[in-house]
Amino acid sequence: KQEVTQIPAALSVPEGENLVLNCSFTDSAIYNLQWFRQDPGKGLTSLLLIQSSQREQTSGRLNASLDKSSGRSTLYIAASQPGDSATYLCAVQTSNRLAFGKGNQVVVIP
Amino acid sequence: SAVISQKPSRDICQRGTSLTIQCQVDSQVTMMFWYRQQPGQSLTLIATANQGSEATYESGFVIDKFPISRPNLTFSTLTVSNMSPEDSSIYLCSVGTQAYGYTFGSGTRLTVV
């Protein structure tokens, strides 16, 4: 069974600092990995999708890397802003299902 | 990517009652997925709904408690039946594929009192 772990569970950073969020998974036989953002009590917003054949994806201030062999992905958010405050979820797809981590809860302090 | 309209966004319900959650997708999709997110936990898949067939439920979830309808390729409902406080969670629907990733609805925040 795929297990997904996200570290740290929570962090606070001053505005302008870069954010580094980590995701690890136990089964490297994945099809893809997707990072989501979730605001309190709300649904999920997709940020980046990395296919298993890819090493990284970038969108604006966001960059996600994937090291499938070691079972790790990292989400970098450059120059953090208060609007980046949210929970970030990592999800890996194996066969036809997604396995989620519990998330990294981020607070950016103005 | 598909856009999903989910409602209600939140509700407070009495124990023993039922709530039906609706998801409307702006394009035709083969499979729709229903998830539960209990407080402080990650998302757990409840069932997969295919149009024209019975939904497939994950271990620990049963049709009598979470009946699902899928009348066409753009719409699905999940009912939470005979609710208890333990059913207080965020419920989410999702569509997507391996190639293009997954999109989620805005979530239904359910509180059972």
mmCIF file of all heavy atoms in Angstrom, chain A residues 31-32 34 36 38 40-46 49 51 89 93 95-98 100-103, chain B residues 9 33 35 37 40-43 45 58 90 92 97-107 109:
data_model
loop_
_atom_site.group_PDB
_atom_site.id
_atom_site.type_symbol
_atom_site.label_atom_id
_atom_site.label_comp_id
_atom_site.label_asym_id
_atom_site.label_seq_id
_atom_site.Cartn_x
_atom_site.Cartn_y
_atom_site.Cartn_z
ATOM 1 N N TYR A 31 2.637 6.593 -11.461
ATOM 2 C CA TYR A 31 2.391 7.134 -12.790
ATOM 3 C C TYR A 31 2.688 8.626 -12.830
ATOM 4 O O TYR A 31 3.194 9.159 -13.806
ATOM 5 C CB TYR A 31 0.945 6.895 -13.206
ATOM 6 C CG TYR A 31 0.628 5.447 -13.469
ATOM 7 C CD1 TYR A 31 -0.196 4.723 -12.625
ATOM 8 C CD2 TYR A 31 1.165 4.790 -14.575
ATOM 9 C CE1 TYR A 31 -0.481 3.394 -12.867
ATOM 10 C CE2 TYR A 31 0.887 3.457 -14.820
ATOM 11 C CZ TYR A 31 0.058 2.772 -13.954
ATOM 12 O OH TYR A 31 -0.214 1.450 -14.191
ATOM 13 N N ASN A 32 2.298 9.321 -11.770
ATOM 14 C CA ASN A 32 2.558 10.750 -11.686
ATOM 15 C C ASN A 32 2.438 11.220 -10.253
ATOM 16 O O ASN A 32 2.040 10.442 -9.358
ATOM 17 C CB ASN A 32 1.612 11.554 -12.595
ATOM 18 C CG ASN A 32 0.150 11.344 -12.247
ATOM 19 O OD1 ASN A 32 -0.228 11.374 -11.090
ATOM 20 N ND2 ASN A 32 -0.684 11.151 -13.267
ATOM 21 N N GLN A 34 1.135 14.839 -8.095
ATOM 22 C CA GLN A 34 0.444 16.116 -8.271
ATOM 23 C C GLN A 34 0.470 16.877 -6.947
ATOM 24 O O GLN A 34 0.226 16.304 -5.876
ATOM 25 C CB GLN A 34 -1.011 15.863 -8.710
ATOM 26 C CG GLN A 34 -1.716 17.047 -9.299
ATOM 27 C CD GLN A 34 -3.013 16.647 -10.032
ATOM 28 O OE1 GLN A 34 -3.356 15.475 -10.142
ATOM 29 N NE2 GLN A 34 -3.719 17.639 -10.530
ATOM 30 N N PHE A 36 -1.220 19.980 -4.766
ATOM 31 C CA PHE A 36 -2.450 20.748 -4.651
ATOM 32 C C PHE A 36 -2.310 21.776 -3.536
ATOM 33 O O PHE A 36 -1.544 21.602 -2.600
ATOM 34 C CB PHE A 36 -3.642 19.842 -4.297
ATOM 35 C CG PHE A 36 -4.012 18.837 -5.337
ATOM 36 C CD1 PHE A 36 -3.449 17.569 -5.327
ATOM 37 C CD2 PHE A 36 -4.941 19.142 -6.315
ATOM 38 C CE1 PHE A 36 -3.797 16.622 -6.274
ATOM 39 C CE2 PHE A 36 -5.300 18.200 -7.269
ATOM 40 C CZ PHE A 36 -4.729 16.943 -7.244
ATOM 41 N N GLN A 38 -4.863 23.695 -0.693
ATOM 42 C CA GLN A 38 -6.186 23.663 -0.075
ATOM 43 C C GLN A 38 -6.301 24.783 0.943
ATOM 44 O O GLN A 38 -5.510 24.861 1.882
ATOM 45 C CB GLN A 38 -6.459 22.318 0.600
ATOM 46 C CG GLN A 38 -7.870 22.199 1.151
ATOM 47 C CD GLN A 38 -8.171 20.844 1.756
ATOM 48 O OE1 GLN A 38 -7.287 20.177 2.288
ATOM 49 N NE2 GLN A 38 -9.427 20.418 1.659
ATOM 50 N N PRO A 40 -8.575 26.637 3.992
ATOM 51 C CA PRO A 40 -9.375 26.028 5.084
ATOM 52 C C PRO A 40 -10.815 25.743 4.698
ATOM 53 O O PRO A 40 -11.536 26.640 4.236
ATOM 54 C CB PRO A 40 -9.273 27.077 6.193
ATOM 55 C CG PRO A 40 -7.977 27.763 5.951
ATOM 56 C CD PRO A 40 -7.839 27.820 4.444
ATOM 57 N N GLY A 41 -11.243 24.513 4.871
ATOM 58 C CA GLY A 41 -12.621 24.110 4.619
ATOM 59 C C GLY A 41 -13.020 24.068 3.165
ATOM 60 O O GLY A 41 -14.211 23.928 2.849
ATOM 61 N N LYS A 42 -12.042 24.162 2.279
ATOM 62 C CA LYS A 42 -12.347 24.256 0.851
ATOM 63 C C LYS A 42 -11.857 23.042 0.079
ATOM 64 O O LYS A 42 -11.284 22.105 0.643
ATOM 65 C CB LYS A 42 -11.696 25.520 0.273
ATOM 66 C CG LYS A 42 -12.133 26.799 0.936
ATOM 67 C CD LYS A 42 -13.607 27.081 0.736
ATOM 68 C CE LYS A 42 -14.003 28.428 1.294
ATOM 69 N NZ LYS A 42 -15.459 28.705 1.116
ATOM 70 N N GLY A 43 -12.064 23.081 -1.236
ATOM 71 C CA GLY A 43 -11.597 22.015 -2.096
ATOM 72 C C GLY A 43 -10.126 22.170 -2.446
ATOM 73 O O GLY A 43 -9.418 23.003 -1.883
ATOM 74 N N LEU A 44 -9.674 21.353 -3.377
ATOM 75 C CA LEU A 44 -8.269 21.338 -3.779
ATOM 76 C C LEU A 44 -8.088 22.054 -5.108
ATOM 77 O O LEU A 44 -8.873 21.850 -6.040
ATOM 78 C CB LEU A 44 -7.775 19.900 -3.926
ATOM 79 C CG LEU A 44 -7.326 19.164 -2.666
ATOM 80 C CD1 LEU A 44 -8.428 19.024 -1.652
ATOM 81 C CD2 LEU A 44 -6.748 17.802 -3.032
ATOM 82 N N THR A 45 -7.025 22.829 -5.184
ATOM 83 C CA THR A 45 -6.652 23.502 -6.421
ATOM 84 C C THR A 45 -5.345 22.890 -6.900
ATOM 85 O O THR A 45 -4.355 22.874 -6.160
ATOM 86 C CB THR A 45 -6.464 25.010 -6.197
ATOM 87 O OG1 THR A 45 -7.704 25.565 -5.728
ATOM 88 C CG2 THR A 45 -6.055 25.695 -7.491
ATOM 89 N N SER A 46 -5.331 22.391 -8.121
ATOM 90 C CA SER A 46 -4.126 21.775 -8.659
ATOM 91 C C SER A 46 -3.063 22.834 -8.940
ATOM 92 O O SER A 46 -3.351 23.890 -9.511
ATOM 93 C CB SER A 46 -4.445 21.032 -9.952
ATOM 94 O OG SER A 46 -3.277 20.444 -10.493
ATOM 95 N N LEU A 49 1.580 19.162 -11.950
ATOM 96 C CA LEU A 49 1.510 17.727 -12.215
ATOM 97 C C LEU A 49 2.838 17.299 -12.821
ATOM 98 O O LEU A 49 3.288 17.908 -13.805
ATOM 99 C CB LEU A 49 0.371 17.415 -13.186
ATOM 100 C CG LEU A 49 0.300 15.979 -13.736
ATOM 101 C CD1 LEU A 49 -0.097 15.006 -12.635
ATOM 102 C CD2 LEU A 49 -0.667 15.905 -14.908
ATOM 103 N N GLN A 51 4.722 14.021 -14.413
ATOM 104 C CA GLN A 51 4.638 12.635 -14.861
ATOM 105 C C GLN A 51 5.874 11.878 -14.377
ATOM 106 O O GLN A 51 6.922 12.471 -14.103
ATOM 107 C CB GLN A 51 4.519 12.570 -16.374
ATOM 108 C CG GLN A 51 3.277 13.253 -16.936
ATOM 109 C CD GLN A 51 1.989 12.541 -16.576
ATOM 110 O OE1 GLN A 51 1.981 11.402 -16.114
ATOM 111 N NE2 GLN A 51 0.862 13.220 -16.772
ATOM 112 N N LEU A 89 -0.941 19.879 -0.461
ATOM 113 C CA LEU A 89 -1.086 18.420 -0.452
ATOM 114 C C LEU A 89 -0.339 17.817 -1.633
ATOM 115 O O LEU A 89 -0.390 18.328 -2.750
ATOM 116 C CB LEU A 89 -2.562 18.035 -0.548
ATOM 117 C CG LEU A 89 -3.443 18.404 0.654
ATOM 118 C CD1 LEU A 89 -4.913 18.237 0.306
ATOM 119 C CD2 LEU A 89 -3.096 17.556 1.844
ATOM 120 N N GLN A 93 -0.066 8.939 -7.902
ATOM 121 C CA GLN A 93 -0.984 8.012 -8.543
ATOM 122 C C GLN A 93 -0.283 6.695 -8.827
ATOM 123 O O GLN A 93 0.760 6.662 -9.485
ATOM 124 C CB GLN A 93 -1.537 8.572 -9.845
ATOM 125 C CG GLN A 93 -2.516 7.594 -10.490
ATOM 126 C CD GLN A 93 -3.285 8.168 -11.638
ATOM 127 O OE1 GLN A 93 -2.948 9.228 -12.145
ATOM 128 N NE2 GLN A 93 -4.337 7.480 -12.042
ATOM 129 N N SER A 95 -1.542 2.745 -10.179
ATOM 130 C CA SER A 95 -2.669 2.092 -10.869
ATOM 131 C C SER A 95 -3.747 3.144 -11.120
ATOM 132 O O SER A 95 -3.466 4.156 -11.724
ATOM 133 C CB SER A 95 -3.188 0.887 -10.089
ATOM 134 O OG SER A 95 -3.756 1.273 -8.863
ATOM 135 N N ASN A 96 -4.944 2.986 -10.606
ATOM 136 C CA ASN A 96 -6.011 3.935 -10.903
ATOM 137 C C ASN A 96 -6.485 4.687 -9.674
ATOM 138 O O ASN A 96 -7.648 5.084 -9.586
ATOM 139 C CB ASN A 96 -7.186 3.210 -11.545
ATOM 140 C CG ASN A 96 -7.795 2.190 -10.605
ATOM 141 O OD1 ASN A 96 -7.210 1.867 -9.587
ATOM 142 N ND2 ASN A 96 -8.963 1.706 -10.938
ATOM 143 N N ARG A 97 -5.603 4.899 -8.704
ATOM 144 C CA ARG A 97 -6.020 5.630 -7.524
ATOM 145 C C ARG A 97 -4.938 6.601 -7.079
ATOM 146 O O ARG A 97 -3.761 6.433 -7.382
ATOM 147 C CB ARG A 97 -6.381 4.692 -6.377
ATOM 148 C CG ARG A 97 -5.236 3.857 -5.880
ATOM 149 C CD ARG A 97 -5.667 2.898 -4.779
ATOM 150 N NE ARG A 97 -6.686 1.984 -5.259
ATOM 151 C CZ ARG A 97 -7.890 1.887 -4.722
ATOM 152 N NH1 ARG A 97 -8.204 2.620 -3.677
ATOM 153 N NH2 ARG A 97 -8.760 1.035 -5.194
ATOM 154 N N LEU A 98 -5.386 7.615 -6.334
ATOM 155 C CA LEU A 98 -4.479 8.605 -5.769
ATOM 156 C C LEU A 98 -4.259 8.320 -4.291
ATOM 157 O O LEU A 98 -5.210 7.997 -3.581
ATOM 158 C CB LEU A 98 -5.059 10.007 -5.905
ATOM 159 C CG LEU A 98 -5.128 10.645 -7.284
ATOM 160 C CD1 LEU A 98 -5.824 11.997 -7.190
ATOM 161 C CD2 LEU A 98 -3.744 10.811 -7.860
ATOM 162 N N PHE A 100 -2.814 10.291 -0.923
ATOM 163 C CA PHE A 100 -2.518 11.645 -0.469
ATOM 164 C C PHE A 100 -1.701 11.640 0.815
ATOM 165 O O PHE A 100 -1.869 10.773 1.675
ATOM 166 C CB PHE A 100 -3.818 12.400 -0.180
ATOM 167 C CG PHE A 100 -4.560 12.835 -1.396
ATOM 168 C CD1 PHE A 100 -5.429 11.977 -2.041
ATOM 169 C CD2 PHE A 100 -4.393 14.113 -1.903
ATOM 170 C CE1 PHE A 100 -6.120 12.373 -3.163
ATOM 171 C CE2 PHE A 100 -5.084 14.529 -3.028
ATOM 172 C CZ PHE A 100 -5.946 13.657 -3.658
ATOM 173 N N GLY A 101 -0.863 12.672 0.956
ATOM 174 C CA GLY A 101 -0.266 12.962 2.242
ATOM 175 C C GLY A 101 -1.231 13.807 3.067
ATOM 176 O O GLY A 101 -2.284 14.221 2.584
ATOM 177 N N LYS A 102 -0.841 14.085 4.316
ATOM 178 C CA LYS A 102 -1.697 14.885 5.189
ATOM 179 C C LYS A 102 -1.514 16.374 4.957
ATOM 180 O O LYS A 102 -2.292 17.182 5.459
ATOM 181 C CB LYS A 102 -1.428 14.561 6.648
ATOM 182 C CG LYS A 102 -1.903 13.183 7.067
ATOM 183 C CD LYS A 102 -1.727 12.980 8.564
ATOM 184 C CE LYS A 102 -2.258 11.616 8.979
ATOM 185 N NZ LYS A 102 -2.124 11.406 10.445
ATOM 186 N N GLY A 103 -0.478 16.755 4.241
ATOM 187 C CA GLY A 103 -0.319 18.145 3.887
ATOM 188 C C GLY A 103 0.754 18.877 4.664
ATOM 189 O O GLY A 103 1.179 18.453 5.742
ATOM 190 N N SER B 9 -21.903 24.082 -0.283
ATOM 191 C CA SER B 9 -20.532 24.308 0.143
ATOM 192 C C SER B 9 -20.350 23.919 1.607
ATOM 193 O O SER B 9 -19.256 23.529 2.028
ATOM 194 C CB SER B 9 -20.135 25.772 -0.061
ATOM 195 O OG SER B 9 -21.006 26.615 0.663
ATOM 196 N N PHE B 33 -15.012 10.630 -8.908
ATOM 197 C CA PHE B 33 -14.508 10.075 -7.660
ATOM 198 C C PHE B 33 -15.051 10.889 -6.485
ATOM 199 O O PHE B 33 -15.145 12.115 -6.556
ATOM 200 C CB PHE B 33 -12.973 10.123 -7.636
ATOM 201 C CG PHE B 33 -12.328 9.463 -8.832
ATOM 202 C CD1 PHE B 33 -12.032 10.194 -9.969
ATOM 203 C CD2 PHE B 33 -12.013 8.119 -8.802
ATOM 204 C CE1 PHE B 33 -11.437 9.593 -11.075
ATOM 205 C CE2 PHE B 33 -11.420 7.502 -9.897
ATOM 206 C CZ PHE B 33 -11.135 8.240 -11.032
ATOM 207 N N TYR B 35 -14.479 11.638 -2.380
ATOM 208 C CA TYR B 35 -13.508 11.536 -1.288
ATOM 209 C C TYR B 35 -14.098 12.101 0.005
ATOM 210 O O TYR B 35 -14.973 12.963 -0.012
ATOM 211 C CB TYR B 35 -12.242 12.352 -1.601
ATOM 212 C CG TYR B 35 -11.352 11.770 -2.664
ATOM 213 C CD1 TYR B 35 -11.582 12.037 -4.014
ATOM 214 C CD2 TYR B 35 -10.257 10.972 -2.327
ATOM 215 C CE1 TYR B 35 -10.748 11.517 -4.988
ATOM 216 C CE2 TYR B 35 -9.411 10.451 -3.299
ATOM 217 C CZ TYR B 35 -9.672 10.736 -4.631
ATOM 218 O OH TYR B 35 -8.836 10.227 -5.603
ATOM 219 N N GLN B 37 -12.572 13.826 3.685
ATOM 220 C CA GLN B 37 -11.411 14.335 4.411
ATOM 221 C C GLN B 37 -11.847 14.636 5.832
ATOM 222 O O GLN B 37 -12.498 15.659 6.095
ATOM 223 C CB GLN B 37 -10.844 15.595 3.737
ATOM 224 C CG GLN B 37 -9.554 16.081 4.378
ATOM 225 C CD GLN B 37 -9.025 17.330 3.700
ATOM 226 O OE1 GLN B 37 -9.790 18.131 3.165
ATOM 227 N NE2 GLN B 37 -7.711 17.500 3.701
ATOM 228 N N GLY B 40 -8.097 17.090 10.100
ATOM 229 C CA GLY B 40 -6.682 16.825 10.313
ATOM 230 C C GLY B 40 -6.130 15.632 9.563
ATOM 231 O O GLY B 40 -4.969 15.265 9.767
ATOM 232 N N GLN B 41 -6.929 15.047 8.674
ATOM 233 C CA GLN B 41 -6.494 13.842 7.956
ATOM 234 C C GLN B 41 -6.349 14.108 6.468
ATOM 235 O O GLN B 41 -6.759 15.140 5.951
ATOM 236 C CB GLN B 41 -7.505 12.707 8.183
ATOM 237 C CG GLN B 41 -7.712 12.353 9.628
ATOM 238 C CD GLN B 41 -6.429 11.885 10.299
ATOM 239 O OE1 GLN B 41 -5.717 11.034 9.773
ATOM 240 N NE2 GLN B 41 -6.127 12.450 11.462
ATOM 241 N N SER B 42 -5.756 13.150 5.784
ATOM 242 C CA SER B 42 -5.645 13.247 4.337
ATOM 243 C C SER B 42 -6.938 12.769 3.693
ATOM 244 O O SER B 42 -7.861 12.317 4.372
ATOM 245 C CB SER B 42 -4.460 12.419 3.847
ATOM 246 O OG SER B 42 -4.642 11.059 4.152
ATOM 247 N N LEU B 43 -6.997 12.888 2.394
ATOM 248 C CA LEU B 43 -8.197 12.480 1.665
ATOM 249 C C LEU B 43 -8.265 10.957 1.558
ATOM 250 O O LEU B 43 -7.257 10.291 1.300
ATOM 251 C CB LEU B 43 -8.197 13.068 0.252
ATOM 252 C CG LEU B 43 -8.716 14.491 0.111
ATOM 253 C CD1 LEU B 43 -7.733 15.482 0.681
ATOM 254 C CD2 LEU B 43 -9.013 14.801 -1.348
ATOM 255 N N LEU B 45 -10.508 7.914 -0.440
ATOM 256 C CA LEU B 45 -11.448 7.642 -1.515
ATOM 257 C C LEU B 45 -12.621 6.837 -0.974
ATOM 258 O O LEU B 45 -12.423 5.791 -0.338
ATOM 259 C CB LEU B 45 -10.751 6.878 -2.642
ATOM 260 C CG LEU B 45 -11.593 6.524 -3.859
ATOM 261 C CD1 LEU B 45 -12.033 7.792 -4.597
ATOM 262 C CD2 LEU B 45 -10.815 5.606 -4.807
ATOM 263 N N GLU B 58 -14.797 1.662 -1.840
ATOM 264 C CA GLU B 58 -13.548 1.253 -1.210
ATOM 265 C C GLU B 58 -13.839 0.528 0.104
ATOM 266 O O GLU B 58 -14.947 0.633 0.658
ATOM 267 C CB GLU B 58 -12.677 2.477 -0.944
ATOM 268 C CG GLU B 58 -12.264 3.200 -2.211
ATOM 269 C CD GLU B 58 -11.427 2.340 -3.138
ATOM 270 O OE1 GLU B 58 -10.384 1.806 -2.681
ATOM 271 O OE2 GLU B 58 -11.804 2.199 -4.318
ATOM 272 N N ILE B 90 -15.054 17.015 5.352
ATOM 273 C CA ILE B 90 -15.194 17.664 4.055
ATOM 274 C C ILE B 90 -15.338 16.559 3.014
ATOM 275 O O ILE B 90 -14.540 15.615 2.994
ATOM 276 C CB ILE B 90 -13.984 18.550 3.727
ATOM 277 C CG1 ILE B 90 -13.842 19.664 4.774
ATOM 278 C CG2 ILE B 90 -14.118 19.160 2.328
ATOM 279 C CD1 ILE B 90 -12.571 20.484 4.624
ATOM 280 N N LEU B 92 -15.519 15.677 -1.060
ATOM 281 C CA LEU B 92 -15.072 16.263 -2.328
ATOM 282 C C LEU B 92 -15.315 15.296 -3.480
ATOM 283 O O LEU B 92 -15.128 14.090 -3.330
ATOM 284 C CB LEU B 92 -13.580 16.595 -2.286
ATOM 285 C CG LEU B 92 -13.132 17.547 -1.180
ATOM 286 C CD1 LEU B 92 -12.270 16.817 -0.175
ATOM 287 C CD2 LEU B 92 -12.360 18.704 -1.769
ATOM 288 N N THR B 97 -7.691 12.183 -15.179
ATOM 289 C CA THR B 97 -7.026 11.028 -15.775
ATOM 290 C C THR B 97 -5.559 11.030 -15.377
ATOM 291 O O THR B 97 -5.027 12.040 -14.914
ATOM 292 C CB THR B 97 -7.109 11.063 -17.308
ATOM 293 O OG1 THR B 97 -6.379 12.212 -17.773
ATOM 294 C CG2 THR B 97 -8.540 11.130 -17.791
ATOM 295 N N GLN B 98 -4.938 9.889 -15.618
ATOM 296 C CA GLN B 98 -3.508 9.757 -15.343
ATOM 297 C C GLN B 98 -2.710 10.771 -16.159
ATOM 298 O O GLN B 98 -1.752 11.358 -15.674
ATOM 299 C CB GLN B 98 -3.078 8.339 -15.677
ATOM 300 C CG GLN B 98 -1.588 8.093 -15.601
ATOM 301 C CD GLN B 98 -1.234 6.720 -16.124
ATOM 302 O OE1 GLN B 98 -2.002 5.773 -15.962
ATOM 303 N NE2 GLN B 98 -0.081 6.597 -16.740
ATOM 304 N N ALA B 99 -3.111 10.986 -17.389
ATOM 305 C CA ALA B 99 -2.330 11.841 -18.281
ATOM 306 C C ALA B 99 -2.421 13.317 -17.920
ATOM 307 O O ALA B 99 -1.446 14.058 -18.059
ATOM 308 C CB ALA B 99 -2.788 11.638 -19.718
ATOM 309 N N TYR B 100 -3.593 13.736 -17.458
ATOM 310 C CA TYR B 100 -3.820 15.162 -17.255
ATOM 311 C C TYR B 100 -4.004 15.552 -15.797
ATOM 312 O O TYR B 100 -4.225 16.726 -15.493
ATOM 313 C CB TYR B 100 -5.032 15.612 -18.076
ATOM 314 C CG TYR B 100 -4.824 15.444 -19.562
ATOM 315 C CD1 TYR B 100 -5.411 14.393 -20.258
ATOM 316 C CD2 TYR B 100 -3.995 16.324 -20.261
ATOM 317 C CE1 TYR B 100 -5.199 14.230 -21.612
ATOM 318 C CE2 TYR B 100 -3.780 16.165 -21.624
ATOM 319 C CZ TYR B 100 -4.378 15.120 -22.289
ATOM 320 O OH TYR B 100 -4.163 14.953 -23.634
ATOM 321 N N GLY B 101 -3.910 14.596 -14.903
ATOM 322 C CA GLY B 101 -4.080 14.910 -13.499
ATOM 323 C C GLY B 101 -5.550 15.032 -13.123
ATOM 324 O O GLY B 101 -6.442 14.757 -13.920
ATOM 325 N N TYR B 102 -5.789 15.465 -11.895
ATOM 326 C CA TYR B 102 -7.128 15.460 -11.333
ATOM 327 C C TYR B 102 -7.558 16.848 -10.896
ATOM 328 O O TYR B 102 -6.754 17.655 -10.433
ATOM 329 C CB TYR B 102 -7.186 14.478 -10.154
ATOM 330 C CG TYR B 102 -7.035 13.060 -10.631
ATOM 331 C CD1 TYR B 102 -5.771 12.515 -10.845
ATOM 332 C CD2 TYR B 102 -8.151 12.288 -10.933
ATOM 333 C CE1 TYR B 102 -5.628 11.229 -11.344
ATOM 334 C CE2 TYR B 102 -8.016 10.997 -11.416
ATOM 335 C CZ TYR B 102 -6.751 10.478 -11.631
ATOM 336 O OH TYR B 102 -6.610 9.215 -12.129
ATOM 337 N N THR B 103 -8.867 17.095 -11.060
ATOM 338 C CA THR B 103 -9.496 18.342 -10.651
ATOM 339 C C THR B 103 -10.511 18.017 -9.576
ATOM 340 O O THR B 103 -11.196 16.987 -9.655
ATOM 341 C CB THR B 103 -10.210 19.000 -11.848
ATOM 342 O OG1 THR B 103 -9.257 19.221 -12.876
ATOM 343 C CG2 THR B 103 -10.833 20.326 -11.445
ATOM 344 N N PHE B 104 -10.611 18.910 -8.593
ATOM 345 C CA PHE B 104 -11.530 18.685 -7.482
ATOM 346 C C PHE B 104 -12.596 19.781 -7.419
ATOM 347 O O PHE B 104 -12.353 20.925 -7.836
ATOM 348 C CB PHE B 104 -10.763 18.664 -6.152
ATOM 349 C CG PHE B 104 -10.023 17.371 -5.927
ATOM 350 C CD1 PHE B 104 -8.825 17.127 -6.578
ATOM 351 C CD2 PHE B 104 -10.525 16.417 -5.076
ATOM 352 C CE1 PHE B 104 -8.140 15.933 -6.386
ATOM 353 C CE2 PHE B 104 -9.848 15.215 -4.865
ATOM 354 C CZ PHE B 104 -8.662 14.977 -5.534
ATOM 355 N N GLY B 105 -13.736 19.404 -6.881
ATOM 356 C CA GLY B 105 -14.759 20.385 -6.579
ATOM 357 C C GLY B 105 -14.350 21.227 -5.387
ATOM 358 O O GLY B 105 -13.316 20.979 -4.747
ATOM 359 N N SER B 106 -15.162 22.211 -5.080
ATOM 360 C CA SER B 106 -14.845 23.170 -4.013
ATOM 361 C C SER B 106 -15.101 22.605 -2.621
ATOM 362 O O SER B 106 -14.817 23.260 -1.624
ATOM 363 C CB SER B 106 -15.633 24.454 -4.209
ATOM 364 O OG SER B 106 -17.012 24.153 -4.314
ATOM 365 N N GLY B 107 -15.644 21.390 -2.543
ATOM 366 C CA GLY B 107 -15.815 20.740 -1.255
ATOM 367 C C GLY B 107 -17.128 21.084 -0.571
ATOM 368 O O GLY B 107 -17.690 22.167 -0.745
ATOM 369 N N ARG B 109 -18.441 21.111 3.314
ATOM 370 C CA ARG B 109 -18.042 20.992 4.718
ATOM 371 C C ARG B 109 -19.271 20.623 5.527
ATOM 372 O O ARG B 109 -20.184 21.435 5.692
ATOM 373 C CB ARG B 109 -17.432 22.299 5.204
ATOM 374 C CG ARG B 109 -16.809 22.193 6.581
ATOM 375 C CD ARG B 109 -16.038 23.446 6.912
ATOM 376 N NE ARG B 109 -15.153 23.240 8.043
ATOM 377 C CZ ARG B 109 -14.229 24.101 8.443
ATOM 378 N NH1 ARG B 109 -14.060 25.236 7.794
ATOM 379 N NH2 ARG B 109 -13.461 23.846 9.482
#
